[in-house]
Amino acid sequence: MNRTLSILLAGTMLSAPAFAEDLSVVGSWSSLPLHNQYEAPFWTKTLPDASGGSINVELTTHNQMSLGLGDIYPLLGQGVYDVAMTVADYAVADAPELEGLDVPLLALSADEARAMVDAARPMVADIYRDRFNSHVLAIAPYPPQVVFCNHEITNLADLEGLKVRASGRMTAKLLEALGAEGVNVSFAEVPGALQNGVVDCAVTGAGSGYSAGWWEVSTHLLPIPLGGWDPVVTAINMDKWNSLDADTQGLITAQVASGFEDLAWDSAQDALTNDIACLTGNGECPSGDARSMTLVEVSDADFTRARDILTSEVLPEWAERAGAEWAARWNESVGTVVGVQIN
């Protein structure tokens, strides 16, 4: 009997975690599908279940904590929390080289966008290590960033002279080169800004705009991806990461790829078509009630003009701010994948 009890006790000790890891996790916008469909289920169920109870997660979001958008990653680096995820463009004031992750108009499908992200990932990993004392776990997309207007427009040229909220710094530079006035307004403040005329138009993901009710204060939708894909970077504080044993690091790495990142990218493929249908009523809406925004067709001439301005003005200007080393790294990685080189 004693031998049997010893064997059972030994087996229990081998199968149970030696101690639990507690992770404080700060997610992205709580109202949007990326958080509700992928982030929250992953951190609250998928990862804890896969760990057999050895990882406990306390999850909140940056908007629920009322964090300044530019403070999210610096606070992560200081160890205020263990894991954080939000739009990379929110951090470019501290890391202008990070703008090279989210370049508009270069990826027109989720597959193309993921190829860009995969090419940029070694650069992004170095930026987060050096700038924010953190280790990159995942990069997931929001839907393509398109243009909502509470102003009648018929083509891209009609943006000239209008006040437009950009989704990131590179998009703001592109809008200014197109003759629009870039206005800095946070995502949560956009509906009021559109309604009160602070801005005439605003750029965000079509699905994000649908979920946040931008269709209530917008009349026209221009589905040109002027804002890229607004990649959301998930990172863990480097000191916390280094404190984990190799098995735990391997578990988190594998699970975040299959249980979060891959799922988010898979859903992004058809997101723009579905979201446009939901916003305009042109097609079946899988997300709820279809709305009735006016869909503005993007002509080949519109797209060509915007792309030419991007490559001749916006990217070279970014290269000057980021520095020659980062421009060279971008050319060798992202630029090679998309067939664009910064001179």
Side-chain angles (χ1 to χ4, degrees), residues 78-101:
Q78 296 168 25
V80 175
Y81 30 78
D82 299 317
V83 179
M85 58 212 73
T86 194
V87 177
D89 270 330
Y90 295 162
V92 299
D94 292 311
E97 63 273 23
L98 190 56
E99 292 176 48
L101 173 63

Short mmCIF file of all heavy atoms in Angstrom, two decimals, residues 78-101:
data_model
loop_
_atom_site.label_atom_id
_atom_site.label_comp_id
_atom_site.label_asym_id
_atom_site.label_seq_id
_atom_site.Cartn_x
_atom_site.Cartn_y
_atom_site.Cartn_z
N GLN A 78 8.49 49.15 -18.45
CA GLN A 78 8.81 49.42 -17.05
C GLN A 78 8.29 48.34 -16.11
O GLN A 78 8.57 48.37 -14.91
CB GLN A 78 8.21 50.78 -16.65
CG GLN A 78 8.80 51.97 -17.39
CD GLN A 78 8.00 53.23 -17.19
OE1 GLN A 78 7.28 53.39 -16.19
NE2 GLN A 78 8.07 54.15 -18.15
N GLY A 79 7.51 47.39 -16.66
CA GLY A 79 7.00 46.30 -15.84
C GLY A 79 5.73 46.61 -15.08
O GLY A 79 5.38 45.91 -14.13
N VAL A 80 4.99 47.66 -15.51
CA VAL A 80 3.73 47.98 -14.85
C VAL A 80 2.73 46.84 -15.04
O VAL A 80 1.89 46.57 -14.18
CB VAL A 80 3.16 49.30 -15.40
CG1 VAL A 80 1.78 49.60 -14.84
CG2 VAL A 80 4.12 50.45 -15.08
N TYR A 81 2.79 46.16 -16.16
CA TYR A 81 2.05 44.93 -16.43
C TYR A 81 2.97 44.02 -17.23
O TYR A 81 4.06 44.43 -17.66
CB TYR A 81 0.74 45.20 -17.17
CG TYR A 81 0.76 46.41 -18.07
CD1 TYR A 81 1.38 46.38 -19.32
CD2 TYR A 81 0.20 47.62 -17.66
CE1 TYR A 81 1.42 47.49 -20.14
CE2 TYR A 81 0.24 48.75 -18.48
CZ TYR A 81 0.85 48.68 -19.71
OH TYR A 81 0.89 49.78 -20.51
N ASP A 82 2.53 42.78 -17.44
CA ASP A 82 3.41 41.79 -18.06
C ASP A 82 3.29 41.73 -19.58
O ASP A 82 4.29 41.53 -20.28
CB ASP A 82 3.12 40.39 -17.49
CG ASP A 82 3.36 40.31 -16.00
OD1 ASP A 82 4.39 40.85 -15.54
OD2 ASP A 82 2.52 39.71 -15.29
N VAL A 83 2.07 41.86 -20.09
CA VAL A 83 1.81 41.71 -21.53
C VAL A 83 0.91 42.86 -21.97
O VAL A 83 0.00 43.25 -21.23
CB VAL A 83 1.13 40.36 -21.84
CG1 VAL A 83 0.84 40.23 -23.34
CG2 VAL A 83 1.97 39.18 -21.36
N ALA A 84 1.17 43.39 -23.16
CA ALA A 84 0.30 44.43 -23.71
C ALA A 84 0.18 44.26 -25.20
O ALA A 84 1.09 43.73 -25.86
CB ALA A 84 0.84 45.83 -23.38
N MET A 85 -0.94 44.71 -25.74
CA MET A 85 -1.15 44.65 -27.18
C MET A 85 -1.96 45.87 -27.61
O MET A 85 -2.96 46.23 -26.99
CB MET A 85 -1.87 43.36 -27.58
CG MET A 85 -3.21 43.14 -26.93
SD MET A 85 -3.59 41.40 -26.64
CE MET A 85 -2.50 41.05 -25.26
N THR A 86 -1.49 46.53 -28.64
CA THR A 86 -2.23 47.63 -29.23
C THR A 86 -1.61 47.95 -30.59
O THR A 86 -0.65 47.30 -31.02
CB THR A 86 -2.24 48.87 -28.31
OG1 THR A 86 -3.24 49.79 -28.79
CG2 THR A 86 -0.89 49.57 -28.28
N VAL A 87 -2.16 48.95 -31.25
CA VAL A 87 -1.72 49.32 -32.58
C VAL A 87 -0.28 49.85 -32.52
O VAL A 87 0.04 50.73 -31.72
CB VAL A 87 -2.65 50.40 -33.17
CG1 VAL A 87 -2.16 50.85 -34.54
CG2 VAL A 87 -4.08 49.87 -33.25
N ALA A 88 0.57 49.31 -33.36
CA ALA A 88 1.97 49.72 -33.36
C ALA A 88 2.13 51.21 -33.62
O ALA A 88 3.04 51.85 -33.07
CB ALA A 88 2.75 48.92 -34.40
N ASP A 89 1.25 51.78 -34.43
CA ASP A 89 1.35 53.21 -34.76
C ASP A 89 1.22 54.10 -33.53
O ASP A 89 1.64 55.26 -33.57
CB ASP A 89 0.29 53.60 -35.78
CG ASP A 89 0.77 53.45 -37.22
OD1 ASP A 89 1.99 53.59 -37.44
OD2 ASP A 89 -0.04 53.17 -38.11
N TYR A 90 0.64 53.60 -32.44
CA TYR A 90 0.53 54.40 -31.23
C TYR A 90 1.90 54.66 -30.60
O TYR A 90 2.02 55.53 -29.74
CB TYR A 90 -0.38 53.72 -30.20
CG TYR A 90 -1.82 53.59 -30.60
CD1 TYR A 90 -2.66 52.69 -29.96
CD2 TYR A 90 -2.37 54.35 -31.63
CE1 TYR A 90 -4.00 52.55 -30.30
CE2 TYR A 90 -3.70 54.23 -31.99
CZ TYR A 90 -4.51 53.32 -31.33
OH TYR A 90 -5.84 53.18 -31.68
N ALA A 91 2.91 53.89 -31.00
CA ALA A 91 4.22 53.99 -30.37
C ALA A 91 5.25 54.71 -31.22
O ALA A 91 6.41 54.80 -30.83
CB ALA A 91 4.74 52.59 -30.03
N VAL A 92 4.85 55.25 -32.38
CA VAL A 92 5.86 55.77 -33.30
C VAL A 92 6.49 57.08 -32.83
O VAL A 92 7.56 57.46 -33.31
CB VAL A 92 5.29 55.95 -34.73
CG1 VAL A 92 4.83 54.61 -35.28
CG2 VAL A 92 4.14 56.96 -34.75
N ALA A 93 5.87 57.77 -31.88
CA ALA A 93 6.51 58.97 -31.35
C ALA A 93 7.81 58.61 -30.65
O ALA A 93 8.78 59.38 -30.68
CB ALA A 93 5.57 59.70 -30.38
N ASP A 94 7.83 57.43 -30.02
CA ASP A 94 9.05 56.95 -29.36
C ASP A 94 9.94 56.15 -30.30
O ASP A 94 11.12 55.97 -30.01
CB ASP A 94 8.67 56.06 -28.17
CG ASP A 94 8.00 56.85 -27.05
OD1 ASP A 94 8.54 57.91 -26.67
OD2 ASP A 94 6.94 56.42 -26.57
N ALA A 95 9.38 55.66 -31.39
CA ALA A 95 10.13 54.80 -32.29
C ALA A 95 9.70 55.05 -33.73
O ALA A 95 8.92 54.28 -34.30
CB ALA A 95 9.92 53.33 -31.92
N PRO A 96 10.19 56.13 -34.36
CA PRO A 96 9.75 56.43 -35.73
C PRO A 96 10.07 55.32 -36.72
O PRO A 96 9.37 55.18 -37.73
CB PRO A 96 10.52 57.71 -36.07
CG PRO A 96 11.63 57.80 -35.08
CD PRO A 96 11.13 57.14 -33.85
N GLU A 97 11.08 54.50 -36.44
CA GLU A 97 11.40 53.39 -37.33
C GLU A 97 10.27 52.37 -37.39
O GLU A 97 10.16 51.60 -38.35
CB GLU A 97 12.70 52.71 -36.89
CG GLU A 97 12.69 52.08 -35.52
CD GLU A 97 13.06 53.02 -34.39
OE1 GLU A 97 12.92 54.25 -34.56
OE2 GLU A 97 13.47 52.52 -33.33
N LEU A 98 9.40 52.36 -36.37
CA LEU A 98 8.29 51.41 -36.33
C LEU A 98 7.24 51.70 -37.39
O LEU A 98 6.43 50.82 -37.72
CB LEU A 98 7.67 51.42 -34.92
CG LEU A 98 6.66 50.34 -34.57
CD1 LEU A 98 7.23 48.95 -34.78
CD2 LEU A 98 6.18 50.52 -33.13
N GLU A 99 7.22 52.90 -37.93
CA GLU A 99 6.27 53.23 -38.99
C GLU A 99 6.43 52.31 -40.20
O GLU A 99 5.48 52.12 -40.98
CB GLU A 99 6.45 54.67 -39.44
CG GLU A 99 6.07 55.71 -38.41
CD GLU A 99 6.38 57.11 -38.90
OE1 GLU A 99 6.01 57.44 -40.04
OE2 GLU A 99 7.02 57.88 -38.14
N GLY A 100 7.61 51.75 -40.38
CA GLY A 100 7.84 50.87 -41.52
C GLY A 100 7.06 49.57 -41.47
O GLY A 100 6.99 48.84 -42.47
N LEU A 101 6.43 49.28 -40.34
CA LEU A 101 5.59 48.08 -40.24
C LEU A 101 4.26 48.26 -40.95
O LEU A 101 3.72 47.30 -41.50
CB LEU A 101 5.36 47.74 -38.76
CG LEU A 101 4.36 46.61 -38.46
CD1 LEU A 101 4.84 45.28 -39.04
CD2 LEU A 101 4.14 46.50 -36.95
#
